[in-house]
Amino acid sequence: PPPILRHSGGDGRNEGDSEEKQSIWEKIQRNKELVEDIKLYSSSLVLALTVRTFIVEPRYIPSLSMYPTLDIGDQLAVEKVRVVERAGGGEERPCNADQMLGPRNQVTKLVRGFRRGDIVVFRPPETYKEMVSGSLAYAGRNVGKEDLIKRIVAVEGDVVEVREGGKVLLNGKEVNERFIAEAPQYTYGPKEVPTGMVLVLGDNRNRSMDSHIWGFLPVENIIGRAVATYWPPQRIGGL
């Protein structure tokens, strides 16, 4: 008997499936309202992903280290870092970390550059990771992937000191910090902030693991600046 020849397309069921899919797609195309909805949702998704990736990102506060400015459960908008420097002909190009702050600052930002008093979200530096990796208080947590939030108190070139009685001095002058929970019960410095670094502290000074414990923060670790709280409703406002 002659050999049985098998068609590469199978027994016809694939062709039926293809026709059925084609029929569904044709129905969708004929439904103008559905097509418009798909276009709208797709555009909204792309816009939302673009905003989150390049402009503003939502964040949630899990601790009291920034109390009373930020409380547990607060949700806030973080402006993503997009820093550029202008070349001689006005051309914009990416900026080096050591050019982002300090007296040599030649930086433009989409909104503005970092300043003392800014609340920033950042990736923890290596010194922080080393200090908490063996701590029972952080057992079961991936501290290397947990972002932190603190306030910039000093930028590169600043000399910062915390004296007995909770007085904070910046470049020899006492700073009035009305936003803190209580005066710090520790001493620090005086120390000069190195190039490409900032000093960050939590507003809840005596319950915050920050620069006075693990050292200066590299500017390149900063993810963005907290600009506003949007939840809960009674705490909506700018930062």
Side-chain angles (χ1 to χ4, degrees), residues 81-184:
V81 174
R82 287 295 176 269
V83 182
V84 295
E85 62 171 336
R86 294 190 180 277
E91 175 190 358
E92 293 186 351
R93 60 191 181 193
C95 178
N96 297 326
D98 64 353
Q99 294 173 307
M100 292 176 70
L101 294 166
R104 296 179 295 102
N105 184 14
Q106 297 295 327
V107 177
T108 353
K109 196 170 180 288
L110 286 184
V111 177
R112 62 171 175 76
F114 294 123
R115 299 174 184 171
R116 304 179 194 94
D118 282 348
I119 298 173
V120 292
V121 174
F122 57 91
R123 295 181 297 275
E126 291 303 317
T127 48
Y128 171 88
K129 296 177 188 177
E130 291 167 5
M131 293 183 74
V132 303
S133 59
S135 172
L136 292 176
Y138 294 87
R141 290 170 54 182
N142 190 346
V143 293
K145 291 188 177 180
E146 290 183 359
D147 298 330
L148 306 178
I149 182 167
K150 307 292 178 190
R151 186 185 296 271
I152 294 177
V153 173
V155 301
E156 69 171 55
D158 285 342
V159 176
V160 62
E161 179 182 6
V162 181
R163 292 181 178 175
E164 288 186 12
K167 291 183 178 181
V168 177
L169 278 73
L170 189 64
N171 301 320
K173 296 182 180 179
E174 186 175 349
V175 181
N176 182 15
E177 298 183 303
R178 292 174 292 179
F179 46 78
I180 62 175
E182 58 186 358

